[in-house]
Amino acid sequence: MLLHIPNVLDAATLTRCTALLKQADWTNGRATAGTQAARVKNNLQLPEASPVALQLRAIVLEALSKNAPFFSAALPRRIYPPLFNRYGGEANAFGNHVDNAIRTHPASAQHVRTDLSFTLFLNNPADYGGGELVIEDGMGGRAVKLPAGDLILYPSYSVHRVEPVTRGARLACFSWLESMVREPQQRTLLHELDTSIVALRGEQGESETAVRLTSCYHNLMRMWATV
Ligand code: NI
């Protein structure tokens, strides 16, 4: 499932992020890449433990924790502490790769199985040329370039790349998460069911049918979720 979640960060929060990013001390992005990915990765990142990264990370995690569509689609069990990158100038692209199946956080030594990847765009498409995130789908790839504050959630098993940035700079936050529901089909079904129940309540208010469908949702979660 590919899911676009708009307005994860509001305008005021984006302004705070932009101010923090201006103080950023960027380093080579290969530090967090696996062997295959490192060969094709050419961008800049914030060091994971840098003060600016810590502040930005807290902002993003707080926003994600309040975002109902993100929770419904991802059912996150563990989120790898989000990272921040910059594409532009000489360090402007990331060729086709897959994300490592397991990420181990250097500070906590906690393992995260990467079921879903996300990119949260931190500046606007007009600020840079190129820089599309292209997710291979067997049809030549889906190119994604979203407004600042919007997030794309996509399966970590997909081959993907970031096209060269030809003008300006592309700033983004990215990370991976382990879902409470490992199987993509089960997760997709739960998301579809949850979205439909919310829509049904919106159309008809509370009803016996909505209660029964909610019961189905939670009973499927009981069968499929690991916490
Ligand atoms: Ni990747």
Side-chain angles (χ1 to χ4, degrees):
M1 186 201 344
L2 229 65
L3 188 71
H4 171 191
I5 304 176
N7 303 314
V8 169
L9 301 181
D10 60 25
T13 311
L14 272 170
T15 303
R16 280 168 65 206
C17 290
T18 305
L20 283 165
L21 286 163
K22 283 197 177 126
Q23 308 163 28
D25 206 1
W26 301 98
T27 57
N28 193 312
R30 289 193 187 98
T32 57
T35 313
Q36 184 272 327
R39 290 202 184 98
V40 291
K41 187 172 186 181
N42 180 26
N43 69 356
L44 299 175
Q45 275 177 210
L46 285 186
E48 291 195 59
S50 75
V52 170
L54 295 178
Q55 290 179 71
L56 286 165
R57 184 176 297 151
I59 292 170
V60 169
L61 286 173
E62 196 198 339
L64 290 178
S65 73
K66 292 184 198 153
N67 194 288
F70 176 80
F71 182 84
S72 172
L75 298 171
R77 182 183 185 209
R78 294 177 181 143
I79 301 177
Y80 188 88
L83 300 166
F84 299 85
N85 60 18
R86 180 187 191 278
Y87 292 81
E90 295 293 305
N92 59 35
F94 193 171
N96 266 344
H97 67 281
V98 282
D99 296 339
N100 282 4
I102 307 290
R103 312 278 331 181
T104 305
H105 189 252
S108 65
Q110 185 176 56
H111 303 300
V112 176
R113 185 189 64 236
T114 60
D115 296 323
L116 290 165
S117 303
F118 67 81
T119 295
L120 171 59
F121 291 78
L122 295 177
N123 63 342
N124 276 311
D127 297 341
Y128 55 95
E132 295 85 358
L133 169 67
V134 180
I135 300 155
E136 292 290 347
D137 57 359
M139 303 278 284
R142 184 76 178 265
V144 179
K145 186 168 172 175
L146 300 176
D150 287 17
L151 179 145
I152 182 87
L153 191 64
Y154 61 100
S156 299
Y157 58 70
S158 59
V159 173
H160 55 275
R161 64 180 178 274
V162 175
E163 298 286 26
V165 167
T166 53
R167 166 182 61 79
R170 172 199 195 266
L171 301 169
C173 167
F174 68 102
S175 195
W176 310 270
L177 65 92
E178 179 174 320
S179 177
M180 291 187 278
V181 176
R182 181 177 191 159
E183 290 301 321
Q185 284 183 317
Q186 294 173 343
R187 206 185 310 121
T188 302
L189 192 154
L190 285 166
H191 179 53
E192 187 64 32
L193 185 54
D194 183 46
T195 309
S196 301
I197 292 168
V198 170
L200 184 69
R201 280 215 168 85
E203 289 162 13
Q204 304 184 0
E206 194 57 83
S207 65
E208 187 62 22
T209 311
V211 172
R212 287 180 179 277
L213 285 171
T214 304
S215 161
C216 289
Y217 175 85
H218 287 291
N219 287 329
L220 288 170
M221 280 285 277
R222 273 186 196 93
M223 270 200 284
W224 294 339
T226 305
V227 292

